Amino acid sequence: MPQYRLILTIIGLICVLFPFTTNATKQNNSQIYIVHCEFPDGERTTRNQDLESYYLSFLPATTSDSSREAPRLIYSYRNVITGFAAKLSLEDLKEMEKMEGFVSARPEGILDLYTTHSVNFMGLNQNMGFWNDSNYGKGVIIGVIDTGIFPDHPSFSDDGMPPPPTKWKGICQFNTTKCNNKLIGARYFRYTGNDPWDEDGHGTHTASTAAGRFVAGANIFGNANGTAVGVAPFAHVAIYKACDDISCYGSNVLSAIDMAIEDGVDVLSISFGNRFREFYEDDIALGAFSAMERGIFVSGAAGNSGPFSFSTSNDAPWILTVGASTIDRKIKATAVLGNNQEFDGESAFQPSDFPPTLLPLTYPGNNASDYYAIYCDPRSLNNMNVTGKIVLCKSRSTEQVDTGKAVKAAGGAAMIIMNSEYWANTTFAEAHVLPVTHVTYADGLKIQEYINSTTTPTATIVFKGTIIGNDRAPVVAGFSSRGPSYVSPRILKPDIIGPGVNILAAWHISLENDTRTNSTFNMISGTSVSCPHLSGVAALLKSVHPDWSPAAIKSAIMTTADVINLKSNLIEDETYLPADVFATGAGHVNPSKANDPGLIYDIEPSDYIPYLCGLNYTNRQVTVIAQRKVNCSEITSILEGQLNYPSFAIQVKSNSGVQVYSRTVTNVGQANSTYRVDIDSPRGLDVKVEPTTLVFSEVKQKLSYQVTFTPFATPSTISSQGSLRWISENHIVRSPIAVRFSDFR
Ligand SMILES: *[C@@H]1O[C@H](CO)[C@@H](O)[C@H](O)[C@H]1NC(C)=O
Ligand SMILES: *[C@@H]1O[C@H](CO)[C@@H](O)[C@H](O)[C@H]1NC(C)=O
Ligand SMILES: *[C@@H]1O[C@H](CO)[C@@H](O)[C@H](O)[C@H]1NC(C)=O
Ligand SMILES: *[C@@H]1O[C@H](CO)[C@@H](O)[C@H](O)[C@H]1NC(C)=O
Ligand SMILES: *[C@@H]1O[C@H](CO)[C@@H](O)[C@H](O)[C@H]1NC(C)=O
Ligand SMILES: *[C@@H]1O[C@H](CO)[C@@H](O)[C@H](O)[C@H]1NC(C)=O
Ligand SMILES: *[C@@H]1O[C@H](CO)[C@@H](O)[C@H](O)[C@H]1NC(C)=O
Ligand SMILES: *[C@@H]1O[C@H](CO)[C@@H](O)[C@H](O)[C@H]1NC(C)=O
Ligand SMILES: *[C@@H]1O[C@H](CO)[C@@H](O)[C@H](O)[C@H]1NC(C)=O
Ligand SMILES: *[C@@H]1O[C@H](CO)[C@@H](O)[C@H](O)[C@H]1NC(C)=O
Ligand SMILES: *[C@@H]1O[C@H](CO)[C@@H](O)[C@H](O)[C@H]1NC(C)=O
Ligand SMILES: *[C@@H]1O[C@H](CO)[C@@H](O)[C@H](O)[C@H]1NC(C)=O
């Protein structure tokens, strides 16, 4: 439903409203609002009962107007924000605004939802090195906010798992006892059914990617056969079902984080989000801030809106923002045309009985008067006869199984999916319901040319199974959202990339009634999938370094990331050209190196306050995030670039001069170590660092340096990139430098 935003500033009152008004709410304006408030004396009560009665005092008494629904308290938040969710009409809101202690209110947002060779691909091997040293995440609790979980899946077996740590206070809301020492908690929230059961599969997939147990003989229709395992197989899992199979409700998300904080999770994994939200009206950013203050690490999906600039979500600096890239495995399916041309594509469904005979090939998209025909929309297929044919269709999302169902329903024999121009060479191996191959955009064009060149185009598909060892990997996925950050463009986003294309993980549904196609694992793609990989890595690091703050863990992951692929070339993007830093962030996660970063860039929760003031947020907006009264005029605010972040994002405006930032690094390597700086200057910018050598004599010692960026030319490109590295005998601590030559914000 199209939504437009109305910004009302009620003159003379101390509050600001940001209502989303829809056609539906014009007729019936009761809807769920997130209301932020504060205690008159600035003191927060600690007794939950007092808190709830305080919140209830904001709700206007039952309305006399019988056409209106009575206001209702939906969630009373205890940890995540000072405030509550309530069903209110605009009239109720107006009354509420007059009350002392009211700060702001906004309608809840709806967030979009965005598997296991990938673990070995990240360099984790059983009984060896870091994976073994971290005890596979033993003792750490990962909270997954998603569509629920399928508790009986073997990925959540608790065989050999110790009980949860004593700090655990969570509960299990399954009707029958489904939780165990692996799945230690499960909660559900409004609109999501009557239990934490995963009706979709998404939550089961993300939870098992972060922390699934070893399951031998996992495969999808016999492909990618092997032992499936999550990144932190000995970590405990708690699921918070805040989403149905399509979307996540803002009030639920806040409540889920509220509960997760109280329950005692160590890591939160959030594979959904929305874009273009300032931090004070972004439920995930708000929730993550409170979580971070309590030492909880938050990993969030960057979004699937790539390759367009300014498309990242979950881009608050206190969140690890995770983009997606490929692994070195392909499940090959080759399109063979009547003229003998061959194009390698992918599919997870590899029927052995598909005949190699050529079948008629058709492209519905050649009907120029039907726009949707290029996507093989069911409506378009109704208008044509595709019976017994191989149908060429263009892709428009990370999931094409439904397109295949439409082609099959229309009588098609097989399907070739070609990519959109934007996603270029990023292809998916999915659990299709008919013979399919997904080919690149360039190959799709060649197939179109062939179709145009003859009156009787024909083709077939040859299935070639699982092939490991593609040394181009990792490649940034076309869909992976790109920086700069819209909300805070001088913080580089995404932070990191990790495996997110064609990942096999737990999934409980049989895709069809055909028993041959049963699969308790499924292969999906998205930043939804890369995010839980990083949640798992954070759990491993937390297990080895329980004293590291969320910022320290993030720093360790970022400064040790890989910038080259298996072939030792620069990591490429979907066009197979070197990826830019707004696609990769710091690079591809390297968990073993992250375990021993040498230096870390730490950030205290209170350091974010001067940063938020520096974003020119009002006192009220900062108060909403910080949950305590903040007066920006009383503190020294800082520029975004001055936050002690492990990367640099420099904006060069037409009139900008020299920019100077400082950073402080903490020694977590050998006590006596000496680092010298190595600078790879971005085009158009001179970079100087003072001092050029850092000499440490103690562990945990902090030293600072200053970096001066001097623009000397505006290149013809819109951006450029470089790096700043601190190099010692045993460590390289790398920070990417992103430069954007523009006047944005
Ligand atoms: C408004 O919507 C709610 C539920 O969506 C319904 O219960 C209520 O009767 C509606 N009120 C009016 C006036 O339509
Ligand atoms: C794996 O970890 C265990 C327990 O921490 C240790 O005893 C063992 O030596 C380690 N094995 C290897 C190969 O490092
Ligand atoms: C729980 O399960 C039992 C037995 O299957 C059933 O009778 C009961 O209605 C269920 N309760 C809920 C709340 O779903
Ligand atoms: C998967 O691999 C296991 C062990 O290598 C083997 O026993 C099993 O038959 C394989 N399954 C399939 C479907 O190929
Ligand atoms: C092309 O699309 C139009 C509009 O949907 C439809 O009416 C027409 O039958 C189609 N033509 C062919 C040849 O399929
Ligand atoms: C569709 O095409 C097939 C094969 O070309 C043919 O056998 C069938 O009769 C056609 N169906 C209709 C409704 O035209
Ligand atoms: C194929 O022909 C159609 C018109 O029949 C044209 O619009 C399209 O651009 C052609 N495609 C290629 C790849 O040549
Ligand atoms: C599977 O079988 C059940 C029962 O026979 C039926 O109700 C359902 O529609 C079938 N589903 C599909 C996808 O064919
Ligand atoms: C597929 O699932 C059905 C129902 O759960 C089961 O009866 C059947 O044995 C399974 N088939 C295979 C090949 O695992
Ligand atoms: C990769 O994508 C680019 C851009 O679409 C294209 O030019 C190139 O041919 C593709 N490479 C391969 C191997 O498909
Ligand atoms: C905040 O406002 C100051 C003064 O108007 C301006 O110089 C600065 O660029 C603004 N900062 C941001 C992040 O918009
Ligand atoms: C570090 O160096 C100092 C002075 O050179 C020495 O006194 C100290 O023992 C060394 N510390 C370690 C842990 O090697």
Side-chain angles (χ1 to χ4, degrees):
M1 187 169 297
Q3 298 187 323
Y4 60 92
R5 184 163 19 165
L6 241 170
I7 302 183
L8 300 172
T9 307
I10 317 293
I11 312 293
L13 289 173
I14 51 161
C15 56
V16 186
L17 304 184
F18 299 96
F20 277 90
T21 311
T22 65
N23 290 338
T25 59
K26 274 180 192 152
Q27 288 136 28
N28 181 348
N29 59 15
S30 264
Q31 58 173 323
I32 295 176
Y33 285 83
I34 310 288
V35 181
H36 296 272
C37 55
E38 62 190 10
F39 292 91
D41 52 3
E43 287 291 310
R44 199 163 187 283
T45 174
T46 47
R47 286 188 36 215
N48 290 337
Q49 257 172 319
D50 296 350
L51 200 57
E52 180 148 343
S53 52
Y54 181 62
Y55 292 158
L56 279 169
S57 73
F58 282 90
L59 294 189
T62 310
T63 167
S64 53
D65 180 353
S66 59
S67 71
R68 275 162 48 194
E69 227 188 323
R72 246 177 338 118
L73 188 67
I74 305 285
Y75 289 119
S76 149
Y77 299 119
R78 299 203 282 262
N79 310 290
V80 72
I81 58 170
T82 304
F84 54 91
K87 194 152 195 184
L88 302 170
S89 67
L90 276 176
E91 288 82 354
D92 299 328
L93 253 186
K94 281 196 190 122
E95 284 182 43
M96 199 180 279
E97 285 153 15
K98 297 175 197 152
M99 298 180 170
E100 198 184 342
F102 173 86
V103 174
S104 66
R106 64 191 158 81
E108 76 166 341
I110 308 288
L111 294 80
D112 297 330
L113 270 175
Y114 297 138
T115 295
T116 24
H117 175 63
S118 55
V119 172
N120 300 124
F121 181 70
M122 292 195 299
L124 298 172
N125 295 298
Q126 219 170 337
N127 303 322
M128 283 169 62
F130 174 49
W131 217 16
N132 186 63
D133 295 345
S134 68
N135 278 316
Y136 309 91
K138 204 176 224 161
V140 180
I141 303 166
I142 304 180
V144 178
I145 305 179
D146 214 294
T147 61
I149 200 161
F150 180 70
D152 295 325
H153 196 280
S155 290
F156 308 116
S157 140
D158 73 346
D159 210 17
M161 285 284 299
T166 49
K167 67 164 183 171
W168 178 245
K169 294 208 293 262
I171 59 166
C172 187
Q173 291 182 323
F174 278 110
N175 182 4
T176 52
T177 308
K178 292 286 183 192
C179 295
N180 58 24
N181 284 336
K182 177 69 191 181
L183 178 62
I184 58 171
R187 292 181 187 266
Y188 66 97
F189 298 86
R190 279 171 57 83
Y191 319 117
T192 65
N194 297 316
D195 58 33
W197 201 275
D198 183 5
E199 279 104 24
D200 181 60
H202 192 272
T204 303
H205 197 279
T206 53
S208 65
T209 299
R213 304 301 303 279
F214 290 91
V215 181
N219 61 74
I220 179 155
F221 311 150
N223 294 293
N225 186 30
T227 298
V229 63
V231 178
F234 272 89
H236 305 282
V237 171
I239 193 87
Y240 298 85
K241 185 185 183 185
C243 312
D244 61 21
D245 55 354
I246 302 163
S247 24
C248 310
Y249 302 90
S251 64
N252 281 355
V253 171
L254 278 175
S255 185
I257 301 176
D258 204 40
M259 295 293 149
I261 291 171
E262 204 155 297
D263 290 350
V265 307
D266 299 302
V267 174
L268 266 176
S269 195
I270 300 183
S271 286
F272 53 89
N274 50 23
R275 292 184 285 154
F276 314 131
R277 288 276 174 114
E278 296 292 338
F279 300 142
Y280 52 82
E281 54 176 17
D282 172 348
D283 296 311
I284 298 176
L286 288 172
F289 191 89
S290 297
M292 170 277 296
E293 278 189 302
R294 288 152 172 94
I296 300 168
F297 184 90
V298 184
S299 162
N304 298 341
S305 304
F308 307 104
S309 296
F310 293 105
S311 60
T312 50
S313 55
N314 294 325
D315 47 7
W318 48 89
I319 296 174
L320 181 77
T321 311
V322 187
S325 49
T326 64
I327 57 174
D328 63 340
R329 178 183 64 201
K330 283 202 183 300
I331 308 184
K332 220 184 231 185
T334 304
V336 180
L337 306 187
N339 64 0
N340 293 322
Q341 272 184 298
E342 293 192 6
F343 302 101
D344 288 339
E346 294 189 81
S347 173
F349 175 55
Q350 303 244 327
S352 54
D353 55 354
F354 189 64
T357 43
L358 293 168
L359 295 171
L361 172 66
T362 181
Y363 179 47
N366 270 351
N367 181 351
S369 58
D370 181 355
Y371 172 76
Y372 292 102
I374 57 173
Y375 303 118
C376 299
D377 194 276
R379 284 165 296 180
S380 307
L381 295 177
N382 279 342
N383 294 332
M384 55 192 69
N385 183 356
V386 298
T387 304
K389 294 182 182 170
I390 298 190
V391 185
L392 177 66
C393 309
K394 234 178 183 174
S395 79
R396 56 174 160 179
S397 79
T398 55
E399 286 162 43
Q400 300 300 319
V401 172
D402 284 346
T403 311
K405 284 181 181 163
V407 168
K408 190 179 184 184
M415 173 170 76
I416 300 174
I417 301 169
M418 73 175 279
N419 252 357
S420 66
E421 184 173 0
Y422 302 117
W423 289 359
N425 303 314
T426 302
T427 55
F428 306 128
E430 290 183 87
H432 289 290
V433 299
L434 80 172
V436 169
T437 180
H438 183 182
V439 300
T440 68
Y441 174 71
D443 290 349
L445 283 184
K446 287 179 199 142
I447 297 171
Q448 281 183 23
E449 275 166 26
Y450 163 69
I451 292 173
N452 281 1
S453 73
T454 166
T455 49
T456 54
T458 55
T460 190
I461 300 173
V462 179
F463 295 96
K464 297 185 173 165
T466 309
I467 292 158
I468 292 188
N470 183 339
D471 60 7
R472 188 160 234 146
V475 178
V476 180
F479 60 78
S480 186
S481 285
R482 311 293 153 95
S485 161
Y486 174 82
V487 181
S488 186
R490 291 164 199 84
I491 299 287
L492 178 61
K493 292 287 171 171
D495 292 308
I496 194 85
I497 53 173
V501 181
N502 302 333
I503 303 300
L504 186 76
W507 196 282
H508 55 284
I509 46 169
S510 138
L511 294 154
E512 268 209 313
N513 281 350
D514 179 354
T515 50
R516 271 184 316 133
T517 60
N518 271 10
S519 177
T520 54
F521 288 82
N522 195 6
M523 193 167 270
I524 64 170
S525 300
T527 54
S528 279
V529 187
S530 55
C531 164
H533 277 93
L534 270 293
S535 309
V537 171
L540 299 179
L541 292 170
K542 191 113 187 170
S543 180
V544 184
H545 308 280
D547 58 328
W548 282 7
S549 70
I553 293 175
K554 177 198 256 188
S555 173
I557 291 172
M558 287 173 65
T559 61
T560 57
D562 292 331
V563 295
I564 56 171
N565 62 24
L566 293 183
K567 237 190 256 183
S568 297
N569 294 334
L570 288 173
I571 290 175
E572 296 167 341
D573 66 15
E574 69 286 347
T575 64
Y576 289 169
L577 295 172
D580 80 24
V581 71
F582 294 110
T584 59
H588 189 265
V589 60
N590 185 327
S592 305
K593 280 199 197 158
N595 186 39
D596 181 21
L599 304 177
I600 53 178
Y601 292 80
D602 208 354
I603 304 176
E604 295 288 326
S606 59
D607 296 340
Y608 292 107
I609 306 300
Y611 157 82
L612 291 168
C613 291
L615 283 174
N616 292 341
Y617 283 1
T618 64
N619 290 340
R620 259 170 205 289
Q621 290 163 346
V622 178
T623 296
V624 162
I625 300 167
Q627 284 200 78
R628 57 189 167 83
K629 252 198 164 70
V630 174
N631 187 345
C632 286
S633 62
E634 287 169 3
I635 56 181
T636 313
S637 63
I638 59 168
L639 294 171
E640 294 160 86
Q642 179 57 29
L643 192 66
N644 201 36
Y645 215 70
S647 59
F648 295 89
I650 307 300
Q651 296 234 327
V652 178
K653 299 195 177 191
S654 40
N655 60 349
S656 57
V658 173
Q659 300 180 42
V660 183
Y661 302 111
S662 63
R663 290 286 188 274
T664 300
V665 285
T666 309
N667 183 20
V668 295
Q670 292 80 1
N672 285 333
S673 41
T674 301
Y675 288 82
R676 60 176 175 77
V677 77
D678 176 78
I679 298 164
D680 171 18
S681 285
R683 256 177 301 119
L685 214 59
D686 179 59
V687 183
K688 278 213 160 51
V689 170
E690 249 329 290
T692 55
T693 306
L694 298 175
V695 182
F696 293 90
S697 56
E698 280 170 48
V699 174
K700 294 195 177 162
Q701 185 185 353
K702 289 178 188 284
L703 290 175
S704 297
Y705 67 90
Q706 221 175 43
V707 50
T708 306
F709 298 98
T710 311
F712 60 81
T714 304
S716 51
T717 51
I718 189 140
S719 62
S720 72
Q721 62 194 59
S723 67
L724 186 163
R725 297 186 304 166
W726 288 103
I727 301 174
S728 74
E729 211 172 307
N730 302 308
H731 297 100
I732 297 176
V733 186
R734 182 180 184 277
S735 293
I737 302 172
V739 187
R740 203 169 149 97
F741 303 93
S742 78
D743 278 339
F744 178 76
R745 284 170 81 120

